[in-house]
Amino acid sequence: MAYSTDTRTLQAGDIFVAIPGERFDGHDFVAAALKKGAAGAIVERQVAGVDAGKLQVVQDTTLYLAKMARARVRHCTVVAVTGSVGKTTTKNAIAAILGAGFPVTASQGNLNTLLGLSMTLVNRDIGPDTKLVLEMGASAKGDIAGMCEYFSPDISVVTNIRGVHLDTFGSLEGVQRAKGELVRALTSDGLACLNADDPMSGRLSKWCAGRTVTYGKGSGCDIAPADITVRLPLLGEHVIYVAMAAFAVGRACGISPAAINRALKTLKPEKGRLCRLPGRSGSVLVDDSYNASPDAMESALRVLFGLPARRRIVFMGDMLELGPTAVQQHRRLIKLAISRSDRVFVVGSIGRAAVADLPRSYVQRVKMFDDSAEVVQLLDRIYVPQVGDLVLVKGSQGSRMERISRVLLEENIDPAAVLPRHTPAWLSI
């Protein structure tokens, strides 16, 4: 029996779960779910006009799902992954490596909240030998601690701690405390895998009640680049950290170095994360539109600069939740983009404010737009792809830069197959 929270993807026989949200209340869609063939609904209150016999009333539908999920996985090994940048790619690499020796269930896409993890786990076949690889995100203090109450980690992986979500957490130390909840949740039998090259992450060892394994390029790390003996099939210098973190988990679970490296050779990028795709008119599209932070934007630009191209084109969307330094950080990265790119398109109000403070010599080399929808509308007038063009598209999720990637993608490729946010739910927004 499957559970669903979305009537657009619900299948006949599913149980519909009504989740109250900021924009929509799932209780408003219970009748539609039952009409579509749902076997029943889990709700927090009775719904007018709906047969009460079809409803199971609980105090909190999200926590009800979490409790069901916890009961299903209580005997499983839980590998939990968090960090400011690289969570999803690291989660995928760990899942690929553990799959060499065990059945694995990994959280899907960016479903890294208590609700997302619970939905994944209640809808999967999970046995006692299954290794769970769960990405845990944080949008508020206590989010990760709350997830750990239901899915207690045996191994906690922290990729890095950077100045993102500063509007929420106030400071880099606030981000550290939020991400550090994953390490604090470990028991004396637990293992923390920490990036020793990232100072804020390395310091989390003081909060670990169990053992710590470090990875990095610096001397004295338990896992080093030399442990990675294959060429990684992902773009970007940062992927060595993904590989080392996954290597650390693999060794902790008894996977041999040879098997780990074989698995690393099979990695594929997640949609919207430095995916090299065929573009229009013989161009190459580097779609990195899933999300953005200053570190990730700089890394993507370095990738662009390092690849062969006739022309380098950048579509840079706003990076959000950076707090009072937002304009300053945008200005630095726009200047970097201009320095080694042929054309730069800045999308969003923060980027526009940053460009306004640039010297005239820089401003003349930038075109600015209010949002990605405006770029799509005007694209044929502002940029015509050519053979040999290398085009980078990147911005925060709220910038919806995948709209631009969609129109730059080679015409015979299905956007839903290769780009993020092309589900019916996202396309309706």
Side-chain angles (χ1 to χ4, degrees), residues 48-70:
V50 173
D51 180 3
K54 292 281 189 178
L55 306 180
Q56 180 180 353
V57 181
V58 300
Q59 185 172 2
D60 186 306
T61 48
T62 297
L63 296 185
Y64 179 86
L65 282 172
K67 291 173 184 176
M68 280 201 302
R70 178 174 59 187

Side-chain angles (χ1 to χ4, degrees), residues 23-54:
R23 299 180 67 241
F24 301 104
D25 185 345
H27 293 81
D28 296 335
F29 300 91
V30 170
L34 294 174
K35 185 176 181 180
K36 195 173 179 180
I42 298 171
V43 297
E44 295 180 3
R45 61 178 185 270
Q46 295 292 341
V47 179
V50 173
D51 180 3
K54 292 281 189 178

